[in-house]
Short mmCIF file of all heavy atoms in Angstrom, two decimals:
data_model
loop_
_atom_site.label_atom_id
_atom_site.label_comp_id
_atom_site.label_asym_id
_atom_site.label_seq_id
_atom_site.Cartn_x
_atom_site.Cartn_y
_atom_site.Cartn_z
N ASP A 1386 0.82 -1.21 0.00
CA ASP A 1386 0.00 0.00 0.00
C ASP A 1386 0.86 1.26 0.00
O ASP A 1386 0.38 2.33 -0.41
CB ASP A 1386 -0.91 0.00 1.23
CG ASP A 1386 -1.83 -1.19 1.24
OD1 ASP A 1386 -2.57 -1.37 0.27
OD2 ASP A 1386 -1.81 -1.95 2.23
N VAL A 1387 2.09 1.15 0.48
CA VAL A 1387 2.99 2.30 0.54
C VAL A 1387 4.42 1.78 0.47
O VAL A 1387 4.70 0.64 0.88
CB VAL A 1387 2.75 3.11 1.84
CG1 VAL A 1387 3.15 2.30 3.06
CG2 VAL A 1387 3.51 4.42 1.82
N VAL A 1388 5.33 2.60 -0.07
CA VAL A 1388 6.74 2.24 -0.17
C VAL A 1388 7.57 3.27 0.60
O VAL A 1388 7.38 4.48 0.41
CB VAL A 1388 7.21 2.18 -1.64
CG1 VAL A 1388 8.71 1.87 -1.72
CG2 VAL A 1388 6.41 1.14 -2.41
N VAL A 1389 8.44 2.78 1.47
CA VAL A 1389 9.30 3.65 2.27
C VAL A 1389 10.74 3.50 1.77
O VAL A 1389 11.27 2.39 1.71
CB VAL A 1389 9.22 3.28 3.76
CG1 VAL A 1389 10.15 4.18 4.58
CG2 VAL A 1389 7.79 3.38 4.26
N VAL A 1390 11.34 4.64 1.39
CA VAL A 1390 12.76 4.66 1.02
C VAL A 1390 13.50 5.20 2.24
O VAL A 1390 13.29 6.34 2.65
CB VAL A 1390 13.00 5.57 -0.20
CG1 VAL A 1390 14.47 5.55 -0.58
CG2 VAL A 1390 12.15 5.10 -1.37
N ALA A 1391 14.37 4.37 2.82
CA ALA A 1391 14.95 4.74 4.12
C ALA A 1391 16.46 4.56 4.13
O ALA A 1391 16.99 3.65 3.49
CB ALA A 1391 14.32 3.91 5.24
N ARG A 1392 17.10 5.47 4.86
CA ARG A 1392 18.54 5.36 5.11
C ARG A 1392 18.86 6.14 6.37
O ARG A 1392 18.29 7.21 6.61
CB ARG A 1392 19.34 5.95 3.93
CG ARG A 1392 20.82 5.55 3.97
CD ARG A 1392 21.74 6.74 3.82
NE ARG A 1392 23.13 6.34 3.69
CZ ARG A 1392 23.95 6.15 4.72
NH1 ARG A 1392 23.51 6.31 5.97
NH2 ARG A 1392 25.21 5.79 4.53
N GLY A 1393 19.77 5.63 7.17
CA GLY A 1393 20.14 6.32 8.40
C GLY A 1393 20.96 7.56 8.12
O GLY A 1393 21.27 7.90 6.97
N GLY A 1394 21.31 8.27 9.17
CA GLY A 1394 22.06 9.51 9.03
C GLY A 1394 23.46 9.28 8.50
O GLY A 1394 24.03 8.18 8.57
N GLY A 1395 24.04 10.32 7.95
CA GLY A 1395 25.39 10.25 7.42
C GLY A 1395 25.79 11.58 6.82
O GLY A 1395 25.05 12.56 6.88
N SER A 1396 26.94 11.60 6.21
CA SER A 1396 27.42 12.83 5.57
C SER A 1396 26.73 13.01 4.23
O SER A 1396 25.99 12.13 3.76
CB SER A 1396 28.93 12.74 5.36
OG SER A 1396 29.23 11.70 4.44
N ASN A 1397 26.96 14.16 3.62
CA ASN A 1397 26.40 14.40 2.28
C ASN A 1397 26.88 13.35 1.29
O ASN A 1397 26.13 12.93 0.40
CB ASN A 1397 26.79 15.79 1.80
CG ASN A 1397 25.97 16.86 2.48
OD1 ASN A 1397 25.04 16.56 3.20
ND2 ASN A 1397 26.35 18.11 2.27
N ALA A 1398 28.12 12.93 1.45
CA ALA A 1398 28.65 11.91 0.54
C ALA A 1398 27.92 10.58 0.75
O ALA A 1398 27.67 9.84 -0.20
CB ALA A 1398 30.15 11.73 0.78
N ASP A 1399 27.57 10.28 2.00
CA ASP A 1399 26.85 9.04 2.29
C ASP A 1399 25.45 9.04 1.69
O ASP A 1399 24.91 7.99 1.34
CB ASP A 1399 26.75 8.82 3.80
CG ASP A 1399 28.12 8.61 4.44
OD1 ASP A 1399 29.03 8.16 3.71
OD2 ASP A 1399 28.28 8.92 5.63
N LEU A 1400 24.86 10.23 1.59
CA LEU A 1400 23.49 10.34 1.06
C LEU A 1400 23.45 10.60 -0.44
O LEU A 1400 22.38 10.86 -0.99
CB LEU A 1400 22.75 11.47 1.80
CG LEU A 1400 22.74 11.42 3.32
CD1 LEU A 1400 21.96 12.60 3.88
CD2 LEU A 1400 22.14 10.12 3.82
N GLU A 1401 24.61 10.52 -1.09
CA GLU A 1401 24.70 10.93 -2.49
C GLU A 1401 23.79 10.13 -3.40
O GLU A 1401 23.23 10.67 -4.37
CB GLU A 1401 26.15 10.79 -2.96
CG GLU A 1401 26.40 11.35 -4.33
CD GLU A 1401 27.88 11.32 -4.70
OE1 GLU A 1401 28.68 10.85 -3.86
OE2 GLU A 1401 28.23 11.77 -5.79
N ALA A 1402 23.59 8.84 -3.11
CA ALA A 1402 22.76 8.00 -3.99
C ALA A 1402 21.33 8.52 -4.06
O ALA A 1402 20.66 8.38 -5.09
CB ALA A 1402 22.77 6.56 -3.49
N PHE A 1403 20.85 9.14 -2.99
CA PHE A 1403 19.47 9.61 -2.94
C PHE A 1403 19.32 11.00 -3.56
O PHE A 1403 18.22 11.53 -3.61
CB PHE A 1403 18.97 9.62 -1.49
CG PHE A 1403 18.96 8.26 -0.87
CD1 PHE A 1403 20.06 7.79 -0.16
CD2 PHE A 1403 17.86 7.43 -1.01
CE1 PHE A 1403 20.06 6.53 0.40
CE2 PHE A 1403 17.84 6.16 -0.45
CZ PHE A 1403 18.94 5.71 0.26
N ASN A 1404 20.46 11.58 -4.02
CA ASN A 1404 20.42 12.86 -4.72
C ASN A 1404 20.70 12.68 -6.21
O ASN A 1404 20.93 13.67 -6.91
CB ASN A 1404 21.45 13.82 -4.11
CG ASN A 1404 20.97 14.39 -2.79
OD1 ASN A 1404 19.79 14.71 -2.64
ND2 ASN A 1404 21.88 14.50 -1.83
N THR A 1405 20.67 11.45 -6.67
CA THR A 1405 20.92 11.20 -8.09
C THR A 1405 19.61 11.31 -8.88
O THR A 1405 18.51 11.11 -8.35
CB THR A 1405 21.51 9.80 -8.30
OG1 THR A 1405 20.57 8.82 -7.81
CG2 THR A 1405 22.83 9.66 -7.57
N GLU A 1406 19.76 11.64 -10.15
CA GLU A 1406 18.59 11.77 -11.03
C GLU A 1406 17.89 10.43 -11.19
O GLU A 1406 16.65 10.36 -11.27
CB GLU A 1406 19.03 12.29 -12.40
CG GLU A 1406 17.88 12.53 -13.36
CD GLU A 1406 18.34 13.17 -14.66
OE1 GLU A 1406 19.56 13.44 -14.80
OE2 GLU A 1406 17.48 13.41 -15.54
N LEU A 1407 18.65 9.33 -11.21
CA LEU A 1407 18.07 8.01 -11.38
C LEU A 1407 17.10 7.67 -10.25
O LEU A 1407 15.97 7.24 -10.49
CB LEU A 1407 19.20 6.96 -11.45
CG LEU A 1407 18.76 5.51 -11.62
CD1 LEU A 1407 18.05 5.33 -12.95
CD2 LEU A 1407 19.97 4.58 -11.52
N VAL A 1408 17.54 7.89 -9.01
CA VAL A 1408 16.68 7.57 -7.86
C VAL A 1408 15.50 8.54 -7.79
O VAL A 1408 14.37 8.14 -7.49
CB VAL A 1408 17.50 7.60 -6.56
CG1 VAL A 1408 16.58 7.50 -5.34
CG2 VAL A 1408 18.51 6.47 -6.55
N ALA A 1409 15.75 9.82 -8.08
CA ALA A 1409 14.67 10.81 -8.03
C ALA A 1409 13.55 10.45 -9.01
O ALA A 1409 12.36 10.49 -8.68
CB ALA A 1409 15.21 12.20 -8.34
N ARG A 1410 13.95 10.06 -10.22
CA ARG A 1410 12.93 9.68 -11.21
C ARG A 1410 12.23 8.38 -10.81
O ARG A 1410 11.03 8.20 -11.07
CB ARG A 1410 13.56 9.54 -12.59
CG ARG A 1410 14.04 10.87 -13.16
CD ARG A 1410 14.46 10.74 -14.62
NE ARG A 1410 14.92 12.01 -15.16
CZ ARG A 1410 14.12 12.97 -15.60
NH1 ARG A 1410 12.80 12.79 -15.57
NH2 ARG A 1410 14.61 14.09 -16.08
N ALA A 1411 12.95 7.46 -10.20
CA ALA A 1411 12.33 6.21 -9.76
C ALA A 1411 11.29 6.48 -8.67
O ALA A 1411 10.22 5.86 -8.64
CB ALA A 1411 13.40 5.25 -9.25
N VAL A 1412 11.61 7.41 -7.75
CA VAL A 1412 10.65 7.76 -6.70
C VAL A 1412 9.42 8.42 -7.31
O VAL A 1412 8.27 8.11 -6.98
CB VAL A 1412 11.31 8.70 -5.67
CG1 VAL A 1412 10.25 9.26 -4.70
CG2 VAL A 1412 12.38 7.96 -4.88
N ALA A 1413 9.64 9.35 -8.24
CA ALA A 1413 8.53 10.09 -8.84
C ALA A 1413 7.63 9.19 -9.68
O ALA A 1413 6.42 9.42 -9.76
CB ALA A 1413 9.06 11.24 -9.69
N SER A 1414 8.20 8.17 -10.33
CA SER A 1414 7.41 7.30 -11.21
C SER A 1414 6.83 6.09 -10.50
O SER A 1414 6.15 5.28 -11.13
CB SER A 1414 8.28 6.84 -12.39
OG SER A 1414 9.38 6.07 -11.92
N CYS A 1415 7.10 5.94 -9.22
CA CYS A 1415 6.59 4.78 -8.47
C CYS A 1415 5.05 4.82 -8.45
O CYS A 1415 4.45 5.86 -8.17
CB CYS A 1415 7.14 4.76 -7.06
SG CYS A 1415 6.67 3.29 -6.10
N ALA A 1416 4.43 3.68 -8.72
CA ALA A 1416 2.97 3.61 -8.76
C ALA A 1416 2.35 3.56 -7.37
O ALA A 1416 1.13 3.61 -7.23
CB ALA A 1416 2.52 2.39 -9.57
N LYS A 1417 3.17 3.43 -6.35
CA LYS A 1417 2.70 3.43 -4.97
C LYS A 1417 3.12 4.73 -4.28
O LYS A 1417 4.13 5.33 -4.63
CB LYS A 1417 3.31 2.24 -4.19
CG LYS A 1417 3.10 0.89 -4.86
CD LYS A 1417 1.65 0.48 -4.86
CE LYS A 1417 1.49 -0.91 -5.49
NZ LYS A 1417 0.09 -1.35 -5.50
N PRO A 1418 2.33 5.19 -3.29
CA PRO A 1418 2.76 6.36 -2.53
C PRO A 1418 4.10 6.09 -1.84
O PRO A 1418 4.31 5.01 -1.30
CB PRO A 1418 1.63 6.54 -1.50
CG PRO A 1418 0.46 5.83 -2.08
CD PRO A 1418 1.01 4.68 -2.87
N VAL A 1419 4.99 7.08 -1.88
CA VAL A 1419 6.34 6.90 -1.35
C VAL A 1419 6.55 7.81 -0.14
O VAL A 1419 6.19 9.00 -0.18
CB VAL A 1419 7.40 7.20 -2.43
CG1 VAL A 1419 8.81 7.08 -1.85
CG2 VAL A 1419 7.23 6.25 -3.61
N ILE A 1420 7.14 7.24 0.90
CA ILE A 1420 7.60 8.02 2.06
C ILE A 1420 9.13 8.00 2.01
O ILE A 1420 9.74 6.93 2.00
CB ILE A 1420 7.11 7.42 3.38
CG1 ILE A 1420 5.58 7.40 3.44
CG2 ILE A 1420 7.67 8.19 4.57
CD1 ILE A 1420 5.02 6.73 4.69
N SER A 1421 9.73 9.18 1.97
CA SER A 1421 11.18 9.29 1.94
C SER A 1421 11.69 9.59 3.34
O SER A 1421 11.32 10.58 3.95
CB SER A 1421 11.62 10.39 0.96
OG SER A 1421 13.03 10.52 0.96
N ALA A 1422 12.54 8.68 3.86
CA ALA A 1422 13.12 8.85 5.20
C ALA A 1422 14.63 8.67 5.08
O ALA A 1422 15.18 7.62 5.42
CB ALA A 1422 12.52 7.84 6.17
N VAL A 1423 15.29 9.71 4.57
CA VAL A 1423 16.72 9.63 4.27
C VAL A 1423 17.48 10.57 5.19
O VAL A 1423 17.21 11.78 5.22
CB VAL A 1423 16.98 10.00 2.79
CG1 VAL A 1423 18.47 9.97 2.50
CG2 VAL A 1423 16.24 9.03 1.88
#
């Protein structure tokens, strides 16, 4: 019913994957409501 994208705390470099265009488009195109907890 819902999809949660989650990652614990870290530096900007650690969170870099969640700032990529690939992941952003995947989140936006997901057919389920997404909760981002990064």
Side-chain angles (χ1 to χ4, degrees):
D1386 300 304
V1387 66
V1388 177
V1389 179
V1390 181
R1392 195 230 187 272
S1396 65
N1397 284 352
D1399 295 335
L1400 307 180
E1401 187 174 1
F1403 298 91
N1404 284 320
T1405 60
E1406 183 175 359
L1407 180 63
V1408 171
R1410 292 189 180 279
V1412 171
S1414 62
C1415 184
K1417 307 292 182 180
V1419 177
I1420 299 176
S1421 178
V1423 178

